[in-house]
Amino acid sequence: MRKLVVLKLDGDLHLGVQVTLEIGEEGKRPTTETTGKLPPNLDMATAIDQWQFTYRSLWKFTRIKAKKIIYDGSISQRRKECDTKASEVREYLNNWLLSESFRPVREKWLKHLMPDEEIRVLIRTHCLQLKKLPWHLWDLVDRDYLKAEVVLSVPESEPVTAVSQTSPFRNKIRILAILGDSEGIDVEQDRQLLEKLPDAATTFLVEPEYSDIDDKLWKQPWNILFFAGHSKSEGETSCIYINKTDKLTIDQLRYALRNAVANGLQLAIFNSCDGLGLARELQDLQIPQIIVMREPVPDKVAQKFLKHFLEVFSSGQSIYAAVRTARQRLKGIEKEYPGASWLPVISEHPAVVPMTWAKLRIPKTRRLGTLLLLSLLITVGVLGVRHQGGLQTWELLFYDKFMRSRPQEKQDSRLLIVTVTEDDLYLPEQKQRSGSLSNLALAKLLDKLAQLQARTIGLDIYRSDPVQPNQAFLTTRWKTDDNFFGICKVSDRTQNYPGVPPPKGVSPQRQGFSDIVPDSDNVVRRHLLAMQPADPTSLCTAPYALNAQLAFHYLEKEGIFAKYTTSGDLQLGEKVFKRLRSRSVSKGEFHMGGYQQVDTGGYQILLNYRSYQGSPLEFAPKVTLTDVLRGKVNPEQVKDRIVLIGTTAQSFRDYSPTPYITGQGYSQEIPGVILQAQMVSQLVSAVMDGRPLISALPVWGELLWIWGWAVVGGAFGVAVSQTLAFVVLQTFPWRDRSRLYLLLAGGGILGGLYIVCLILFYQGIWVPLVPSTLVLVLTGGTVAIYLSSQQSQRQLISTT
């Protein structure tokens, strides 16, 4: 555990300094405290001023713009004198820190700190004179406690207001690098060092305008701010030279830098000259950590420091270890550049949580692992609810909406529907009717259709009553007419009797059942093609539906015959009609598409309604019984067509709800004969025209589809958490604009999901919209809440 040592210094070298020492573990309250005093030391004040004067006379090309210092003598003499002055300052410093009045502080240090511990020594003072002292040369730090690093700070401060020290799930550290006026120096070396950093995304501003810097600091979040170029401090004001003609004071960047801190700026590195003034002003803006050069810095020293610092810091070690190592490496060039190791210094906010390169990012593997785990858990939960039928109602509602949203199709010209309307009930031929159609009217109708050369005729009207002896010709026609098909009913759930028999005399090969399979809301979405009667006493034993019999007969004339594949699926020509069936997966029953809790008995497929002018009623040509009997039908409407005969009279209530809706918002009902015709059209159009059938993805396909949208939701949740963190501390108009962008992005993703599902439905593929939407929203919300809570915890830690 790293130890924190705080030395609060109140006073100066002329009047003496009151000292308070605090010792504790990093991140916790101090456990040890004592006080002491350092006497006035005018000799050291003079020595530090002389060293500074001698040092500044050495360099012609440094990263400072200032008046030239006139100094006589050779460069070697100046270097030697600079070394001498440095030694004097070091001697004065350590003698001063051995003062009797300072002994309680020193003894408390030695008692509570071990030489092998990593120690952060925080010098908290307002006095610039004390900040100029080379505290890193204190014998306790430089000789006995080799893992200690001295850091400058201020006595009082407010808590850090940064949202968080890390960017959640960010895999790149964001660096804004400003390369200012480079007259006489080489900042290109700085650029090359930054470009080589691992896991970093660096944006360079080369000799920018003020507006460029301001925009970047306001509009984007940054982890590190870097400056290389000329700078200087004069009195209470410091400035940086951003290009050959312009300079910026820290005050001019005040609001932009505060915004950057609020958005996560953790470290500012000013690899330029005379940085103590910069550090003082930057610290007032609550930038957590700042690295500056205390004096004018030769170009080579600046480059060497940056190289060694970045190597250590980006390897994962602390900023203190990185600065300490880089400073020690500079010792090796002090023969040419005296005082080089004195230059780099850290100035930081007292409440900062010490940062490392790893704290600025979360490894990619951890990021992906967390995201995938959350998305997988939520996907499993939603699939569990779906398997129990909890989402079926909603899935079918959106199925209906997709059905209604499809483009309009042409009428199916292969069919003709002969309807028996309310007016047709009062025709002279209908006088002896016992239902919707008398035997006489039916006989005349069949004669007319035969004359007009209908290819296939289906009667969607029950004929259970016996034919009268004087109408035996009708029975004869049914027996001999190979293109006529009659209807029967296998069972009736609303009545307690075993079905309705087919017309007497119609051979079993030309019988078809009328049974349909409405869903729990009574809407017909499925097409029942074949079944075996569950009741052996049923009066209807037809194995196929009437619509299937009509389609088979019509297609046989085209040379296309029904057969079954090895997997048991019906095949007509090249078209395979995959049945709606249960599929066992890990002891559970997964059904086709949105159907989870449904009876899939018999041979069922999904019914792909054909609509014309937005309605399933007008999808095929229709004529009335009167039109046919009175010869008002164009022969071309009948020749080689499939003709279905049925009633549309409201008094007989042979109507079924469909996925379509009326203008009043109610489910649109269609007569039974129209429903049978829809089913015939589906079979024939699929074979002859390649019209798509509606099918669902396989189980594994649905799982991957739903999980994939969960991952998308998780990724969006990361963006939400980052945006929320950005929004909280923004001002108008950025706050409202950011929220608007967030809403638009979320709406765009949901809209995109809907559009993709709709397009696939147009192609006949029913993909899960409702569960995909749920996992997308739930995963996104969970990830956003989780990361926001983590950010809050980190913020709480950083302010305690």
Side-chain angles (χ1 to χ4, degrees):
M1 177 67 71
R2 183 189 291 117
K3 291 293 184 65
L4 173 63
V5 175
V6 179
L7 279 175
K8 296 180 181 179
L9 308 179
D10 184 14
D12 58 33
L13 295 177
H14 294 84
L15 300 176
V17 181
Q18 294 291 333
V19 181
T20 301
L21 171 71
E22 295 177 353
I23 300 175
E25 291 185 353
E26 194 74 74
K28 298 182 180 180
R29 292 184 178 276
T31 57
T32 301
E33 183 174 338
T34 191
T35 60
K37 186 175 181 181
L38 288 167
N41 195 330
L42 300 180
D43 291 337
M44 187 165 64
T46 302
I48 194 70
D49 288 340
Q50 291 177 347
W51 174 85
Q52 185 181 49
F53 179 84
T54 307
Y55 173 85
R56 293 196 173 201
S57 69
L58 285 171
W59 316 119
K60 179 179 179 181
F61 294 110
T62 60
R63 298 189 173 191
I64 190 172
K65 282 200 169 184
K67 296 180 180 179
K68 292 182 179 179
I69 299 176
I70 301 174
Y71 189 95
D72 295 330
S74 67
I75 187 66
S76 60
Q77 289 177 330
R78 279 179 273 170
R79 286 173 177 164
K80 184 177 180 180
E81 185 171 349
C82 189
D83 285 337
T84 300
K85 295 298 180 182
S87 297
E88 290 178 3
V89 171
R90 176 171 186 162
E91 184 177 355
Y92 280 128
L93 174 66
N94 281 290
N95 287 336
W96 187 49
L97 296 176
L98 289 172
S99 301
E100 187 67 24
S101 58
F102 189 68
R103 178 176 293 181
V105 174
R106 188 181 185 96
E107 289 178 348
K108 191 70 71 172
W109 172 304
L110 294 170
K111 180 179 179 181
H112 292 278
L113 296 174
M114 302 300 294
D116 60 345
E117 290 180 311
E118 189 170 355
I119 303 170
R120 178 165 63 115
V121 183
L122 200 62
I123 305 294
R124 300 185 65 174
T125 180
H126 283 305
C127 181
L128 182 60
Q129 188 183 51
L130 296 178
K131 289 182 179 181
K132 288 183 178 181
L133 296 179
W135 290 96
H136 65 281
L137 298 179
W138 184 7
D139 59 356
L140 287 180
V141 175
D142 187 44
R143 184 189 64 195
D144 301 327
Y145 291 79
L146 299 181
K147 293 185 178 181
E149 179 63 23
V150 178
V151 180
L152 301 182
S153 187
V154 292
E156 303 89 16
S157 61
E158 296 179 358
V160 178
T161 57
V163 173
S164 67
Q165 289 202 2
T166 64
S167 298
F169 284 57
R170 178 180 291 159
N171 194 42
K172 294 288 185 181
I173 295 172
R174 292 177 58 83
I175 302 174
L176 177 62
I178 303 171
L179 304 181
D181 180 21
S182 58
E183 181 182 357
I185 59 176
D186 182 12
V187 298
E188 184 61 28
Q189 292 292 323
D190 300 63
R191 177 172 190 151
Q192 292 177 11
L193 292 170
L194 291 172
E195 287 176 340
K196 295 177 182 179
L197 282 175
D199 304 316
T202 305
T203 299
F204 291 95
L205 297 179
V206 181
E207 295 195 355
E209 300 294 329
Y210 165 62
S211 58
D212 299 331
I213 301 173
D214 190 69
D215 285 346
K216 292 295 184 183
L217 291 174
W218 274 103
K219 294 182 179 180
Q220 298 182 37
W222 306 100
N223 301 117
I224 298 175
L225 173 65
F226 176 84
F227 174 78
H230 294 296
S231 65
K232 71 175 182 179
S233 299
E234 291 183 349
E236 297 294 321
T237 303
S238 301
C239 65
I240 58 174
Y241 291 81
I242 58 174
N243 54 51
K244 297 186 184 306
T245 58
D246 299 319
K247 64 180 180 180
L248 278 181
T249 65
I250 299 303
D251 188 64
Q252 288 176 288
L253 291 172
R254 176 175 302 276
Y255 297 110
L257 286 171
R258 281 182 175 172
N259 177 75
V261 171
N263 291 330
L265 179 64
Q266 289 295 297
L267 174 63
I269 303 174
F270 282 77
N271 202 22
S272 59
C273 297
D274 203 11
L276 288 178
L278 288 171
R280 182 186 66 251
E281 293 190 71
L282 291 170
Q283 205 164 45
D284 290 341
L285 303 179
Q286 296 186 336
I287 295 179
Q289 292 183 304
I290 307 158
I291 298 175
V292 295
M293 298 293 180
R294 67 171 75 231
E295 297 291 342
V297 55
D299 213 23
K300 184 176 180 180
V301 175
Q303 294 161 6
K304 288 284 187 181
F305 167 76
L306 185 63
K307 177 178 182 297
H308 298 315
F309 169 77
L310 293 178
E311 285 177 352
V312 178
F313 186 48
S314 63
S315 70
Q317 296 190 49
S318 70
I319 189 173
Y320 313 108
V323 170
R324 183 172 62 246
T325 301
R327 188 180 61 248
Q328 292 169 352
R329 295 290 297 272
L330 291 178
K331 193 72 176 176
I333 61 173
E334 284 195 336
K335 184 176 181 180
E336 183 180 0
Y337 299 96
S341 63
W342 285 33
L343 301 181
V345 61
I346 302 174
S347 179
E348 69 181 23
H349 193 283
V352 73
V353 176
M355 62 174 287
T356 64
W357 193 261
K359 277 190 177 182
L360 289 174
R361 58 183 292 272
I362 295 177
K364 188 174 182 179
T365 53
R366 181 182 169 191
R367 176 191 65 175
L368 290 176
T370 304
L371 179 59
L372 293 178
L373 178 60
L374 284 174
S375 64
L376 186 59
L377 290 175
I378 291 174
T379 299
V380 171
V382 169
L383 288 175
V385 174
R386 185 185 193 227
H387 178 56
Q388 296 301 317
L391 306 181
Q392 183 166 302
T393 299
W394 287 100
E395 292 200 71
L396 294 180
L397 285 176
F398 278 98
Y399 176 92
D400 295 349
K401 186 173 180 60
F402 285 166
M403 186 69 69
R404 297 190 298 268
S405 301
R406 295 176 308 162
Q408 178 177 297
E409 298 182 74
K410 295 180 180 179
Q411 282 190 321
D412 192 342
S413 59
R414 298 185 185 91
L415 278 76
L416 177 67
I417 303 171
V418 179
T419 62
V420 180
T421 66
E422 292 286 353
D423 292 338
D424 294 329
L425 299 178
Y426 303 102
L427 288 171
E429 292 86 347
Q430 293 275 59
K431 288 182 179 180
Q432 297 181 0
R433 68 178 178 85
S434 59
S436 62
L437 190 62
S438 69
N439 288 339
L440 177 59
L442 177 57
K444 288 187 175 182
L445 175 61
L446 294 178
D447 285 339
K448 288 285 187 179
L449 295 176
Q451 293 172 14
L452 296 173
Q453 301 179 14
R455 180 185 296 188
T456 306
I457 301 172
L459 178 63
D460 186 35
I461 298 174
Y462 298 126
R463 308 297 298 179
S464 57
D465 295 335
V467 177
Q468 299 297 324
N470 62 345
Q471 296 175 335
F473 61 89
L474 188 58
T475 305
T476 302
R477 172 178 288 279
W478 290 344
K479 289 181 179 180
T480 59
D481 197 346
D482 289 338
N483 67 347
F484 176 81
F485 292 82
I487 198 167
C488 62
K489 190 174 183 63
V490 173
S491 64
D492 192 329
R493 294 179 298 173
T494 63
Q495 302 292 332
N496 189 21
Y497 64 88
V500 179
K504 294 186 183 300
V506 177
S507 67
Q509 292 76 21
R510 289 186 286 109
Q511 297 174 11
F513 60 75
S514 63
D515 299 70
I516 57 175
V517 281
D519 291 328
S520 58
D521 56 0
N522 289 322
V523 174
V524 178
R525 301 181 181 89
R526 289 172 285 157
H527 181 176
L528 180 61
L529 287 167
M531 66 174 174
Q532 293 292 332
D535 185 359
T537 65
S538 174
L539 299 176
C540 178
T541 59
Y544 289 102
L546 174 66
N547 55 79
Q549 291 282 45
L550 297 177
F552 294 167
H553 182 268
Y554 180 86
L555 293 171
E556 285 174 2
K557 301 298 183 181
E558 302 290 334
I560 299 172
F561 297 89
K563 62 180 181 179
Y564 286 87
T565 65
T566 55
S567 60
D569 290 324
L570 175 67
Q571 181 174 352
L572 292 169
E574 299 297 325
K575 197 72 173 183
V576 176
F577 296 80
K578 293 185 178 180
R579 65 192 302 178
L580 180 67
R581 72 179 91 192
S582 300
R583 290 166 289 184
S584 177
V585 178
S586 300
K587 300 181 180 180
E589 292 295 328
F590 280 73
H591 296 274
M592 189 174 188
Y595 285 108
Q596 300 297 314
Q597 300 294 325
V598 67
D599 180 10
T600 56
Y603 198 113
Q604 300 180 31
I605 61 175
L606 294 170
L607 177 54
N608 189 7
Y609 284 90
R610 182 190 289 266
S611 66
Y612 179 72
Q613 297 180 343
S615 171
L617 283 168
E618 308 297 332
F619 83 97
K622 291 188 295 184
V623 295
T624 65
L625 175 64
T626 300
D627 292 335
V628 179
L629 296 183
R630 301 297 179 258
K632 296 180 180 180
V633 177
N634 186 337
E636 293 301 320
Q637 286 185 282
V638 180
K639 185 177 180 181
D640 265 347
R641 303 286 183 94
I642 303 172
V643 180
L644 283 97
I645 305 166
T647 180
T648 59
Q650 287 285 347
S651 57
F652 290 95
R653 289 305 303 154
D654 181 21
Y655 280 78
S656 297
T658 69
Y660 294 85
I661 56 176
T662 64
Q664 293 74 33
Y666 299 107
S667 178
Q668 185 172 8
E669 297 182 339
I670 61 175
V673 66
I674 303 294
L675 183 60
Q676 291 292 332
Q678 283 276 2
M679 295 174 176
V680 174
S681 177
Q682 163 159 275
L683 297 175
V684 175
S685 298
V687 177
M688 301 294 291
D689 303 331
R691 184 172 180 262
L693 299 168
I694 298 177
S695 61
L697 296 174
V699 173
W700 62 266
E702 288 192 338
L703 292 177
L704 289 179
W705 172 270
I706 295 171
W707 185 34
W709 285 104
V711 173
V712 172
F716 182 67
V718 174
V720 168
S721 67
Q722 292 177 340
T723 303
L724 290 177
F726 175 79
V727 165
V728 168
L729 295 172
Q730 291 304 297
T731 58
F732 180 84
W734 289 108
R735 177 180 297 176
D736 291 341
R737 192 173 299 176
S738 299
R739 287 172 176 163
L740 176 61
Y741 291 159
L742 188 63
L743 290 174
L744 290 176
I749 293 176
L750 290 173
L753 170 59
Y754 182 86
I755 291 172
V756 169
C757 292
L758 182 60
I759 292 174
L760 290 174
F761 193 82
Y762 289 170
Q763 307 301 317
I765 303 174
W766 182 20
V767 294
L769 171 63
V770 173
S772 300
T773 302
L774 280 177
V775 298
L776 191 153
V777 173
L778 290 176
T779 307
T782 302
V783 169
I785 293 171
Y786 170 76
L787 291 180
S788 296
S789 67
Q790 294 296 307
Q791 292 170 1
S792 299
Q793 291 177 10
R794 283 189 291 269
Q795 183 180 5
L796 180 62
I797 293 173
S798 68
T799 56
T800 57

